[in-house]
Amino acid sequence: MLTTLAVANYRSLRDLVIPLGRLTLVTGANGSGKTSLYRALRLLAETAQGRLIATLAQEGGFTSTLWAGPETISRTMRQGRVPIQGGPRSKPISLALGFAGDAYGYAIDLGMPSPENPFPLDPVIKGEAMWTGERLSRSSLFAERRNALVRLRMSDSGVWREAMDALSPFDSMVTHCADPADGFELLSMRERMRDWRFYDALRTDPDAPARRPGIHTYTPVLASDGADLAAALATIRAIGDARTLDETIEAAFPGSRLLDDPAGLRLRQHGLLRPLGPTELSDGTLRFLLLVAALLSPRPPELMVLNEPEASLHPSLMPPLAHLLKTAARQTQIVLVSHSAALIAALRETGCCEEVRLEKSFGETAAPDCESPAWTWPKR
Ligand SMILES: Nc1ncnc2c1ncn2[C@@H]1O[C@H](COP(=O)(O)OP(=O)(O)OP(=O)(O)O)[C@@H](O)[C@H]1O
Ligand SMILES: [Mg+2]
């Protein structure tokens, strides 16, 4: 399980270190930094897929995603005695992301390319570190990258070995030095990160992928766009927790039942003579079914991250959704971003979530109610 997420100089997250629990609810007003936190986790997952730099480029490039405020906000600036201003930098430009858990931790540090770099808009990877346990230290470190040089510590002898001396500044050691023989820990971490799942803006409009006809094939993981909803629900019924599936649908839509129809998704609803298919379901009903399919996956990932899942759901659906989240959190760690008062209240009622409330102060996201876990960034 991940216990800490750390972000530096990414959008409004200038210096944020937050604790993560089994089920973490991230809340906050509009513009407080919730989606930035979701994206920071997503960028870490993209690192394991070799797509970090490309994803940053899609977000507008390094200079757009880099913290746009001053390097530090002094006390006199906060008191309004001097204007917010930049001044000479004391440290190099760095956008850094990292996490730690009970098994291992990882951090990556991105910086400005040198003037001769042919891709001046892309950041370069300046450093990476992987360690065992919750805190980076000289004794817990076992894989380290500084610019193009990667060193690994042998788990049996404890001796450091140079694994690569010319790693491209756009490639991560997580994808390029994960070797089954001597980079086994990197490989195992990479595979676990590749399994993290993200659900954001699951579409329910008339052209939504989830409304297209779909046949029942073995689908233990719902696609991130929900295109294989029918198959994912049928797979839960066949090899997963069919009872919770039926109970959740009954709690959300009393008298309704999902039918086992190989032709696709069919929902029998109270009072109707025939079941309805995916093109006929309401936006809220379809979204709820998408969340059920994601959360009851028969192959639960280590981590699932949901961004504002409650959009278009009526407040009456929040208690069944909260119950479903609580059930899913027994198998998978969940980070949930939401500003729905109804969902927050329903989750508090379950008593199983830890809350991280974000707030913006001087353009910077802070989590004033939680104690920041201890965190050390790798050295450049
Ligand atoms: N490079 C940057 N530097 C500093 N702040 C930035 C940067 N890019 C975006 N921001 C600001 O970061 C803030 C957080 O945005 P984010 O999308 O995470 O908010 P949110 O909490 O998800 O809000 P909403 O509830 O409206 O979706 C916004 O106010 C945005 O203006
Ligand atoms: Mg948002």
Side-chain angles (χ1 to χ4, degrees):
M1 188 177 106
L2 308 192
T3 51
T4 308
L5 172 70
V7 189
N9 298 316
Y10 173 63
R11 292 162 55 101
S12 60
L13 313 180
R14 187 185 73 81
D15 177 18
L16 190 76
V17 182
I18 57 159
L20 297 176
R22 197 72 213 154
L23 170 54
T24 310
L25 169 65
V26 180
T27 64
N30 291 129
S32 57
K34 301 180 299 299
T35 299
S36 304
L37 193 140
Y38 170 90
R39 289 201 199 167
L41 269 167
R42 191 152 195 156
L43 284 172
L44 279 164
E46 297 290 358
T47 306
Q49 307 275 5
R51 290 198 300 253
L52 172 67
I53 308 282
T55 308
L56 272 172
Q58 279 165 12
E59 287 189 14
F62 187 49
T63 46
S64 156
T65 47
L66 192 66
W67 158 246
E71 186 182 7
T72 47
I73 306 172
S74 68
R75 195 176 333 160
T76 46
M77 285 185 209
R78 288 185 195 274
Q79 289 166 342
R81 300 213 319 257
V82 296
I84 302 285
Q85 56 195 339
R89 291 194 69 91
S90 64
K91 289 192 217 123
I93 289 173
S94 156
L95 186 164
L97 306 160
F99 65 85
D102 31 27
Y104 56 86
Y106 169 76
I108 183 163
D109 171 14
L110 300 165
M112 290 300 249
S114 60
E116 61 274 14
N117 192 302
F119 301 100
L121 299 177
D122 288 333
V124 290
I125 302 175
K126 296 280 187 183
E128 290 178 272
M130 187 187 171
W131 59 93
T132 45
E134 297 199 7
R135 185 94 191 254
L136 168 63
S137 68
R138 209 202 276 254
S139 58
S140 65
L141 182 70
F142 69 83
E144 181 186 52
R145 181 240 185 97
R146 289 202 191 181
N147 296 307
L149 181 71
V150 181
R151 295 189 317 137
L152 302 175
R153 189 157 64 171
M154 301 297 98
S155 42
D156 44 359
S157 61
V159 173
W160 283 94
R161 192 183 75 80
E162 199 173 287
M164 237 185 195
D165 62 1
L167 184 57
S168 147
F170 305 119
D171 289 327
S172 161
M173 70 174 184
V174 176
T175 45
H176 284 65
C177 302
D179 184 274
D182 53 13
F184 182 73
E185 281 86 359
L186 271 178
L187 180 70
S188 128
M189 180 185 75
R190 183 189 77 188
E191 291 312 304
R192 288 162 81 165
M193 288 168 78
R194 282 186 174 177
D195 200 32
W196 294 359
R197 261 170 241 166
F198 293 82
Y199 292 103
D200 180 22
L202 283 164
R203 281 175 54 196
T204 55
D205 57 276
D207 299 321
R211 291 198 188 274
R212 288 187 215 129
I215 49 158
H216 288 185
T217 55
Y218 174 68
T219 307
V221 179
L222 178 76
S224 60
D225 65 356
D228 47 11
L229 173 65
L233 288 170
T235 308
I236 296 170
R237 185 177 289 286
I239 60 161
D241 189 351
R243 198 166 127 198
T244 304
L245 173 68
D246 289 337
E247 284 173 0
T248 305
I249 289 173
E250 174 62 32
F253 313 108
S256 298
R257 197 160 51 88
L258 267 183
L259 300 186
D260 220 351
D261 186 338
L265 178 66
R266 296 286 177 273
L267 185 71
R268 181 165 290 290
Q269 285 173 302
H270 184 60
L272 298 186
L273 296 177
R274 64 169 181 85
L276 300 186
T279 54
E280 299 164 314
L281 298 175
S282 78
D283 290 354
T285 309
L286 190 66
R287 179 176 290 268
F288 193 82
L289 293 179
L290 283 160
L291 293 170
V292 171
L295 287 163
L296 290 184
S297 165
R299 196 196 285 158
E302 182 177 63
L303 177 72
M304 192 181 294
V305 193
L306 300 157
N307 191 31
E308 301 187 4
E310 71 281 351
S312 82
L313 295 185
H314 186 267
S316 65
L317 288 183
M318 296 309 155
L321 178 57
H323 189 74
L324 181 63
L325 285 159
K326 182 182 175 177
T327 308
R330 288 191 205 120
Q331 309 287 337
T332 192
Q333 184 175 10
I334 298 178
V335 177
L336 170 74
V337 173
S338 171
H339 56 56
S340 152
L343 181 57
I344 296 168
L347 272 168
R348 281 185 188 147
E349 193 99 325
T350 67
C352 68
C353 76
E354 275 151 64
E355 244 176 273
V356 174
R357 187 179 61 84
L358 300 182
E359 195 180 85
K360 208 153 87 167
S361 153
F362 292 88
E364 173 187 3
T365 296
D369 307 332
C370 47
E371 207 178 304
S372 288
W375 181 262
T376 310
W377 287 112
K379 285 198 189 74
R380 270 218 182 157

